[in-house]
Amino acid sequence: AYLLHKDGHRVPVHIKTTPLRDENGKITSIVQIFQDNSLQITVQNKLEELTRLAMLDPITEIGTRKYLEINLNAIFEKMKRYGWAFGVLFIDIDHFKNINDSYGHDIGDSVLKMVAKTLSKNIRSFDLIGRWGGEEFLAIIVNINDNQLFTIAEKLRILVENSSLHIGDDKISVTISTGATIAKPDDTVESLVKRVDTIMYRSKADGRNRVTFDT
């Protein structure tokens, strides 16, 4: 299940349910144990490493654009050497300017952090997510095919849509528009990001809060 954290983002949890029985074997109640499934140790190790290398975005606490570019170059080398497929997601928060205009930049930063945590805690442990700039994020999804990439992107879209912040009596929630594509052998970092950015804008043009996949 994906529970709503007090800071607004969605957190994956395992739920274990155990029945309690009386002396006749009749179920009288149940006990549920909730266990955080967001790989906290792995995430913490990543954060410490990023901080050490000065590649941690101070607002969202995920990787910076520099971090993403370095990893994209490394993954391209692996694709060329071993033939490993990977895809990218270019994610943009819809109508983010309205949040800043209505609530101020401090709340805007809180929304950025909420979205970043929802994304980073719900990708696979070996995938990467970072802040590309402004309200834009880029995810690197490895060992993937078309259907799997779309499924992951759609899952993230739904989780962001169902995350929220409570500011006084106001409930603040946002949606994201996402472009998704698989890297090609003749791609460069620049051509890949340009293509997936263009695909993302098709999601914007088609009404926002959606995933558009293209090759």
Side-chain angles (χ1 to χ4, degrees):
Y2 299 91
L3 300 187
L4 187 65
H5 191 276
K6 64 182 178 65
D7 291 333
H9 58 278
R10 289 281 171 175
V11 178
V13 297
H14 280 309
I15 303 174
K16 182 179 181 180
T17 303
T18 303
L20 299 181
R21 303 176 185 273
D22 61 18
E23 62 273 13
N24 298 317
K26 182 180 178 181
I27 297 176
T28 57
S29 58
I30 62 169
V31 173
Q32 286 189 314
I33 300 173
F34 294 79
Q35 182 178 15
D36 187 349
N37 191 37
S38 57
L39 298 170
Q40 293 293 337
I41 295 177
T42 300
V43 170
Q44 185 61 37
N45 289 342
K46 284 184 177 180
L47 291 179
E48 291 174 359
E49 178 69 6
L50 288 173
T51 301
R52 185 179 69 83
L53 297 174
M55 289 192 289
L56 185 71
D57 180 67
I59 294 176
T60 60
E61 299 179 349
I62 60 175
T64 61
R65 180 168 178 165
K66 178 182 178 182
Y67 162 76
L68 290 167
E69 290 173 337
I70 289 172
N71 278 280
L72 277 172
N73 279 303
I75 292 172
F76 265 117
E77 289 300 317
K78 291 180 180 179
M79 182 181 73
K80 293 173 182 177
R81 181 175 299 182
Y82 304 113
W84 294 347
F86 76 95
V88 291
L89 306 175
F90 201 94
I91 300 163
D92 186 273
I93 301 176
D94 296 324
H95 301 299
F96 183 69
K97 184 177 183 298
N98 293 345
I99 299 292
N100 282 331
D101 290 347
S102 299
Y103 297 97
H105 288 277
D106 287 345
I107 300 303
D109 288 349
S110 295
V111 170
L112 285 173
K113 183 177 291 189
M114 175 186 74
V115 172
K117 285 188 175 182
T118 297
L119 296 174
S120 63
K121 288 180 177 292
N122 290 288
I123 58 173
R124 301 171 304 177
S125 61
F126 44 83
D127 294 326
L128 302 172
I129 183 78
R131 184 182 179 193
W132 192 253
E135 65 269 27
E136 298 173 335
F137 302 87
L138 189 137
I140 305 170
I141 312 297
V142 299
N143 300 330
I144 205 78
N145 61 35
D146 296 4
N147 290 334
Q148 292 168 335
L149 184 63
F150 182 86
T151 298
I152 290 173
E154 183 66 6
K155 167 190 166 183
L156 295 175
R157 182 195 66 78
I158 293 170
L159 290 173
V160 170
E161 183 181 22
N162 286 279
S163 302
S164 59
L165 289 176
H166 291 270
I167 308 298
D169 294 330
D170 292 347
K171 176 183 176 181
I172 302 175
S173 58
V174 294
T175 60
I176 54 176
S177 295
T178 303
T181 193
I182 299 289
K184 301 176 182 178
D186 59 348
D187 265 326
T188 63
V189 171
E190 292 75 18
S191 67
L192 178 63
V193 172
K194 182 178 180 180
R195 184 168 74 253
V196 75
D197 184 25
T198 300
I199 296 169
M200 182 275 293
Y201 274 103
R202 285 168 48 191
S203 290
K204 294 282 191 185
D206 290 340
R208 296 181 170 84
N209 190 24
R210 66 187 62 223
V211 176
T212 302
F213 174 85
D214 203 352
T215 55

